[in-house]
Amino acid sequence: MDSEVVHVPAEWRAQHPHGAHLTGMLEYRALYEESIRSPNTFWAKQARELLSFSHGFHTTHIGSLAKGNNAWFLGGELNASFCCVDRHAIADPDRVAIIHEPDDSCDASREITYGDLLGHVSRLAGCLRAQGVQKGDIVTIYMPMIPEAIFAMLACARIGAVHSVVFAGFSADALRDRIQDANSKVVITTDEGRRGGKAIPTKAVVDTAVRDCPCVSTVLTFKHTGGDVSWTAGRDMWCDEELKKYPSYISSEPMHSEDYLFLLYTSGSTGKPKGVLHSTAGYLLGAAMTGKYVFDIHPKDRFFCSGDIGWITGHTYTVYAPLVLGCTTVIFEGTPAYPSFTRYWEVISKHAATHFYTAPTALRLLKSKIKKRDVEEFNMSQLRVLGSVGEPIAPDTWKWFYNSMGDQKMTLTDTYWQTETGSHIVASLAGVTPMKPGCASLPCFGIDLAIIDPVSGEELKGNLVVGVLAIKQPWPSMARTIKGNHDRYMDTYFNVYKGYYFTGDGAYRDQDGYIWIRGRVDDVVNVSGHRISTSEIESSLLEHAETAIIGVPDELTGEAINAVVSLKTPVIPLGIEQELILHIRQSIAPFAAPKKVFIVKDLPKTRSGKIVRRILRKLLTGEKEFGDISTVRCSSPKNEKCQPLILRL
Ligand code: 6R9
């Protein structure tokens, strides 16, 4: 598994147009040592170098992992929109901040300079203020991948409002729950979005969601496709007309370092999604520092991250890292498969992207569809850095990415991190770290990793150890709390192994100290890089059935959801499988829908009534060995006393 090492190609450094930020592994090791030995000195220096504080901080850090009360850069004041917009607009207003590539390759792309961005963000910020949005209020954003979505995030930040971006693939029910939890007065959306040639009815979904949200007084809608929408007078406003009323510059609100910048919902191992809250200074520093060192971003770069702004990857690496560092972010509204499988190559060559950051699920799809000759015509000469995120990347997919898109000339970084960590925590540094295909590799600066034995709870020191991955020192971009439920925050991350942050992932440290991520050890399934909790899906079916949701390996999506369902009715209605799938699509999102549904008479349970997923997983993956089943009531199809487990497929 860990034998193959791919060294950074010699020409990478020789042909670097700006000179890499780090000279090599010696510098990485020295800086890493310093970041662990003297974290406060290290982080204070980074913060002063990479962020612009309107009032300097007096204390770098207080708090501990055991208490879950970490705070950074106290006394400091800054504004994320100032750091991402104003300072670049002042220095170089004509530099392009955002390039938008539409879904359809025949439609024109758009470029927004830092100077223009300042105007767009200011106007929208003024408009939000006029709608009564105040410092600390949460604004919900439900939008496709267009520049206006970034304007909306930064406009919130400008007036000190907290943004909550909900992925535009979520259903109206899921959106409603998130708007209600955030108690948003204002929701920002578009008439429609467009993906893979299809219209996404964003406004219609918002209309349905806000029916049950008395907190919402304003829905601001950007015109995007020109599609028909229904209109509620007094509540709905067209942004395009409204924004003309506001000035193209308003000053940014000074925020305390620890004021929240955004809320983002993610799945945990229990049913209800968690609203993870991130701070202003700490989060922004994590984005800036990993952008600089992991991706080696320079101001002239054009960074293309295919991650949607509805997920943390989109927040940190489509929006905040590129903009805080003052480079160009390339955003793409479409899919890798429309109108053809060469779409990513088209986007990269058309916009001369220097970086391309994507997920293994897209790569697996392309790997099965693309032949070398399909992509030969594209000019990829500007491309310097490739990145992977979201799930473990199998060595063969890694190699395909490196060889076919990277032409063996680039550096490929596998980046491991989470919504809660804010920015990368394990990653190979572009152009620096010798790469191992399929391996996230080494800890980022300031991240003190531990592998823990899940049984004894003891840290496993040294190399060649397998266990669960934890972190033993606080770092600035860690999430500060879960909205409305600090106890859940403590129990999920800090009370599992006292004194450590628990990631929920299994990991192996090889003989070179490289970290191999082995996937979740809790009840979270990762479908195409989207996190979803098994119990969230199970509880959505509770009315109709008792269900066990199992993640099984899948060639295309990494893991696929299988549902094993025991119905509450004595008769099994025809077509019930499709009905259940539809129900999940509507109540959560299409990506949460099971690939297969198995209707069974009874689920295997322990004597105390807990479903034994381990057995179902083995059945579904074709394993014959069931392990110890002495405590299981309905143990296996072979057990004569039990009803056959699978009635029909
Ligand atoms: C950034 C993001 C986090 C979970 C995480 C892990 C998996 C992410 C990975 C990876 C192996 C990588 N994960 N990156 N596993 N190698 N490079 O995806 O955040 O949506 O919160 O998911 O994704 O299981 O715990 P999030």
Side-chain angles (χ1 to χ4, degrees):
M1 175 190 210
D2 45 339
S3 53
E4 194 176 351
V5 177
V6 179
H7 290 279
V8 178
E11 67 249 59
W12 189 87
R13 211 159 261 282
Q15 291 169 3
H16 197 300
H18 321 291
H21 285 303
L22 287 176
T23 49
M25 279 305 274
L26 280 179
E27 194 180 0
Y28 160 73
R29 294 219 185 272
L31 256 179
Y32 180 75
E33 282 301 308
E34 185 198 323
S35 73
I36 300 300
R37 218 182 34 244
S38 321
N40 286 1
T41 317
F42 173 84
W43 287 118
K45 187 165 166 264
Q46 293 292 332
R48 291 195 178 102
E49 203 178 294
L50 293 167
L51 306 179
S52 297
F53 287 87
S54 53
H55 190 278
F57 53 92
H58 52 66
T59 303
T60 303
H61 171 248
I62 54 166
S64 69
L65 292 181
K67 294 208 174 100
N69 59 347
N70 293 281
W72 291 84
F73 313 117
L74 290 112
E77 285 181 1
L78 77 168
N79 184 287
S81 117
F82 180 90
C83 291
C84 292
V85 188
D86 301 41
R87 55 183 188 162
H88 312 306
I90 295 163
D92 188 2
D94 296 331
R95 191 186 306 163
V96 177
I98 305 170
I99 295 177
H100 170 247
E101 174 65 23
D103 181 45
D104 195 322
S105 42
C106 298
D107 293 338
S109 50
R110 283 163 70 194
E111 290 194 356
I112 286 115
T113 64
Y114 275 99
D116 291 343
L117 183 59
L118 181 58
H120 290 297
V121 171
S122 288
R123 279 194 203 92
L124 186 51
C127 171
L128 288 174
R129 237 186 216 151
Q131 301 316 313
V133 176
Q134 293 175 354
K135 227 176 177 173
D137 286 351
I138 303 170
V139 172
T140 299
I141 299 172
Y142 187 77
M143 292 178 76
M145 287 290 284
I146 57 173
E148 286 72 12
I150 301 183
F151 306 164
M153 292 164 80
L154 295 171
C156 290
R158 195 159 192 88
I159 58 168
V162 175
H163 58 70
S164 167
V165 182
V166 177
F167 174 55
F170 273 115
S171 67
D173 288 2
L175 175 62
R176 175 203 58 209
D177 293 349
R178 286 157 176 75
I179 295 172
Q180 282 174 347
D181 190 56
N183 199 27
S184 290
K185 280 192 194 79
V186 175
V187 177
I188 311 178
T189 190
T190 48
D191 46 4
E192 292 175 329
R194 207 169 273 290
R195 259 175 85 76
K198 293 194 195 101
I200 312 286
T202 38
K203 172 70 164 64
V205 173
V206 170
D207 286 341
T208 310
V210 301
R211 244 187 257 147
D212 300 320
C213 300
C215 54
V216 175
S217 51
T218 309
V219 173
L220 288 169
T221 306
F222 280 98
K223 196 164 263 171
H224 178 46
T225 63
D228 282 342
V229 291
S230 62
W231 209 247
T232 303
R235 185 200 69 189
D236 291 351
M237 285 179 180
W238 284 115
C239 282
D240 316 70
E241 286 160 24
E242 200 56 29
L243 294 183
K244 290 182 195 140
K245 298 182 192 160
Y246 300 96
S248 58
Y249 177 79
I250 65 160
S251 62
S252 57
E253 191 69 31
M255 302 300 291
H256 294 299
S257 296
E258 277 298 308
D259 282 338
Y260 297 132
L261 176 61
F262 68 85
L263 169 71
L264 183 61
Y265 290 90
T266 187
S267 293
S269 45
T270 58
K272 207 170 167 295
K274 321 179 258 206
V276 169
L277 277 160
H278 275 286
S279 71
T280 301
Y283 169 81
L284 211 54
L285 180 59
M289 201 191 64
T290 52
K292 177 173 175 186
Y293 292 118
V294 176
F295 285 129
D296 186 49
I297 293 180
H298 294 256
K300 291 217 162 79
D301 284 339
R302 292 168 160 227
F303 192 91
F304 173 24
C305 167
S306 70
D308 191 282
I309 46 140
W311 306 109
I312 191 69
T313 300
H315 277 62
T316 310
Y317 298 104
T318 306
V319 181
Y320 285 108
L323 297 184
V324 76
L325 293 171
C327 80
T328 303
T329 181
V330 177
I331 64 169
F332 176 39
E333 200 180 339
T335 74
Y338 176 82
S340 78
F341 290 103
T342 58
R343 195 72 173 105
Y344 279 160
W345 280 261
E346 260 174 64
V347 179
I348 293 165
S349 57
K350 179 172 172 190
H351 300 297
T354 51
H355 294 69
F356 178 51
Y357 190 33
T358 194
T361 186
L363 297 171
R364 282 190 297 268
L365 172 74
L366 297 176
K367 180 168 168 272
S368 68
K369 302 285 179 195
I370 291 283
K371 303 263 170 307
K372 203 168 183 312
R373 62 171 183 278
D374 300 333
V375 292
E376 264 165 4
E377 67 185 273
F378 295 103
N379 178 1
M380 310 288 272
S381 61
Q382 302 295 320
L383 197 55
R384 212 169 68 229
V385 180
L386 304 174
S388 171
V389 62
E391 49 176 318
I393 176 167
D396 64 329
T397 309
W398 192 102
K399 285 181 200 160
W400 177 82
F401 193 23
Y402 186 73
N403 295 333
S404 73
M405 195 178 270
D407 206 15
Q408 301 186 354
K409 290 193 199 113
M410 292 164 210
T411 170
L412 197 171
T413 168
D414 179 7
T415 59
Y416 165 79
W417 59 298
Q418 309 175 302
T419 304
E420 299 85 340
T421 67
S423 53
H424 302 147
I425 52 173
V426 183
S428 42
L429 308 188
V432 173
T433 317
M435 302 164 276
K436 296 191 184 190
C439 178
S441 75
L442 297 173
C444 296
F445 296 130
I447 304 296
D448 199 2
L449 291 180
I451 293 193
I452 294 180
D453 178 349
V455 180
S456 68
E458 297 297 320
E459 185 179 339
L460 299 167
K461 301 256 165 100
N463 293 339
L464 299 172
V465 289
V466 183
V468 293
L469 189 66
I471 303 175
K472 50 185 171 177
Q473 266 188 28
W475 68 102
S477 71
M478 61 191 291
R480 296 297 190 263
T481 191
I482 291 173
K483 186 175 178 300
N485 201 344
H486 197 70
D487 287 349
R488 187 171 174 197
Y489 172 76
M490 292 305 295
D491 290 345
T492 312
Y493 310 112
F494 305 104
N495 293 341
V496 186
Y497 302 105
K498 210 66 196 162
Y500 295 88
Y501 166 87
F502 173 50
T503 62
D505 285 297
Y508 162 61
R509 186 158 47 212
D510 73 11
Q511 73 277 13
D512 301 320
Y514 274 51
I515 304 291
W516 297 75
I517 306 295
R518 297 162 65 104
R520 304 288 307 191
V521 293
D522 53 13
D523 290 329
V524 171
V525 185
N526 190 327
V527 185
S528 299
H530 300 333
R531 256 166 83 168
I532 184 85
S533 87
T534 53
S535 51
E536 192 177 344
I537 308 177
E538 286 162 7
S539 45
S540 86
L541 294 179
L542 214 57
E543 247 177 66
H544 316 278
E546 187 173 41
T547 309
I549 293 292
I550 312 283
V552 297
D554 185 272
E555 268 192 12
L556 210 57
T557 56
E559 277 189 295
I561 292 169
N562 283 5
V564 185
V565 181
S566 158
L567 292 172
K568 293 193 170 165
T569 49
V571 206
I572 301 172
L574 203 66
I576 184 72
E577 292 91 343
Q578 287 315 315
E579 233 176 84
L580 295 174
I581 290 174
L582 197 66
H583 178 80
I584 297 168
R585 287 177 73 90
Q586 281 167 352
S587 61
I588 306 177
F591 71 80
K595 190 167 177 183
K596 285 186 186 158
V597 175
F598 300 95
I599 306 292
V600 301
K601 187 127 192 166
D602 206 0
L603 292 167
K605 288 189 184 152
T606 61
R607 285 172 210 287
S608 62
K610 285 204 184 102
I611 298 170
V612 190
R613 290 193 173 72
R614 157 176 74 85
I615 289 183
L616 292 171
R617 188 170 296 115
K618 290 191 170 189
L619 269 171
L620 296 174
T621 53
E623 269 190 61
K624 297 276 180 301
E625 272 307 312
F626 291 104
D628 178 11
I629 50 171
S630 55
T631 57
V632 180
R633 267 200 296 120
C634 176
S635 49
S636 90
K638 285 184 192 152
N639 184 335
E640 282 172 9
K641 285 185 209 132
C642 293
Q643 302 289 341
L645 188 65
I646 296 181
L647 288 184
R648 60 188 174 122
L649 303 186

